[in-house]
Amino acid sequence: MIRLGVNIDHVATLRNARGGNHPDPLTVAKALVGSGMDGVTIHLREDRRHIRDADAEAICAWAGRPVNFEMAATDEMVGIAARLRPHGCCIVPERRAEITTEGGLDVANHGQGLRPAITRLREAGIRVSLFVDPDPAQLRAAAALGADVVELHTGAYANGRLGELERLREAAALTEGLGLECHAGHGLTFANVTPIAALPQVRELNIGHFLIGEAILTGLPAAIAQMKRLMIEARDG
Ligand code: PXP
């Protein structure tokens, strides 16, 4: 089986554009149960540009679907996650000026800096994922740090970089021997999801921006159902 985590950050982006309460991310998450969404992904950024503390609180308390809480490895975020206890945390690099998460964590060179966050989250009973580029050195470092999961950054693949699918294939294959669960995400669309969903080690895809954009045309439940169909068909061969 392959799961679809739906990133609803941009529901909050739309809400924030007018400063009111509509559309409300929790209401949207609840409405998506039954659409093919297996989990809800939210990224509480340091600058709170989309998801806010109250959203994170409400969505984690709801627990209608497992919550994947994306966060930077800061003391503030670790404290919030340890209190809200989402199903999983995905640690991502975060720079204030970036439009979205632009690259994976450099676990190979700066992994020791992540150790306290990983330890504290795991002690709180939270499964820890590290968002990394499909690079064997990063995967080995993630395993050595005791991560449960790696999420492979598919952004370069989505941008059409040559050889990237092969890198992702090799990285996914390597996760098995390292005892890491393999997730993938970033920039995935109806047009490019199939080869990624077909990788047998990939257990979960996290997809946001495309689905929210597609929802303007077809509605979000229909966009999610179509994405899930493509993922299952890719798996079936
Ligand atoms: N996975 C991670 C770790 C991310 O940071 C993001 C973007 O928030 C995604 C997946 C989803 O990317 P997209 O919005 O391009 O589908």
Side-chain angles (χ1 to χ4, degrees):
M1 262 305 288
I2 181 164
R3 299 184 300 267
L4 173 57
V6 177
N7 182 316
I8 58 169
D9 290 348
H10 296 307
V11 173
T13 303
L14 191 58
R15 186 252 336 255
N16 297 351
R18 283 292 175 97
N21 296 322
H22 183 75
D24 169 51
L26 173 63
T27 305
V28 170
K30 286 179 174 172
L32 296 177
V33 171
S35 65
M37 173 185 81
D38 299 296
V40 181
T41 294
I42 53 174
H43 184 174
L44 186 66
R45 295 186 68 104
E46 184 200 10
D47 62 9
R48 311 303 200 264
R49 68 173 71 157
H50 35 57
I51 293 292
R52 295 174 178 157
D53 296 64
D55 299 320
E57 243 174 89
I59 289 165
C60 289
W62 166 55
R65 280 290 180 275
V67 176
N68 174 33
F69 186 85
E70 291 179 5
M71 51 174 267
T74 61
D75 286 346
E76 182 199 21
M77 286 301 152
V78 172
I80 292 171
R83 185 167 57 78
L84 300 184
R85 292 183 187 244
H87 180 72
C89 281
C90 181
I91 301 179
V92 302
E94 204 176 284
R95 283 191 302 278
R96 199 170 256 273
E98 69 190 356
I99 294 170
T100 181
T101 314
E102 285 165 1
L105 291 163
D106 187 359
V107 193
N109 292 305
H110 302 290
Q112 288 315 316
L114 298 172
R115 198 180 278 283
I118 294 172
T119 303
R120 220 173 130 205
L121 293 170
R122 294 194 82 235
E123 279 172 2
I126 301 167
R127 187 187 63 167
V128 177
S129 172
L130 301 181
F131 189 47
V132 294
D133 292 326
D135 170 350
Q138 300 297 343
L139 301 185
R140 291 196 185 95
L145 277 176
D148 303 286
V149 178
V150 281
E151 180 164 325
L152 301 178
H153 196 316
T154 53
Y157 159 78
N159 287 334
R161 194 201 282 170
L162 226 56
E164 204 59 24
L165 180 58
E166 199 46 42
R167 285 183 79 207
L168 286 160
R169 184 175 291 124
E170 287 169 8
L174 184 59
T175 57
E176 255 181 355
L178 293 171
L180 294 163
E181 184 171 309
C182 186
H183 299 178
H186 214 282
L188 295 176
T189 68
F190 291 159
N192 65 23
V193 74
T194 297
I196 303 302
L199 300 175
Q201 299 85 5
V202 172
R203 300 280 303 281
E204 178 175 311
L205 297 180
N206 283 299
I207 307 181
H209 186 266
F210 174 80
L211 289 172
I212 304 297
E214 194 65 13
I216 294 168
L217 296 167
T218 66
L220 192 48
I224 291 169
Q226 171 66 1
M227 187 63 84
K228 190 69 179 291
R229 237 185 330 270
L230 291 170
M231 289 164 59
I232 290 167
E233 282 169 14
R235 219 44 168 215
D236 289 346

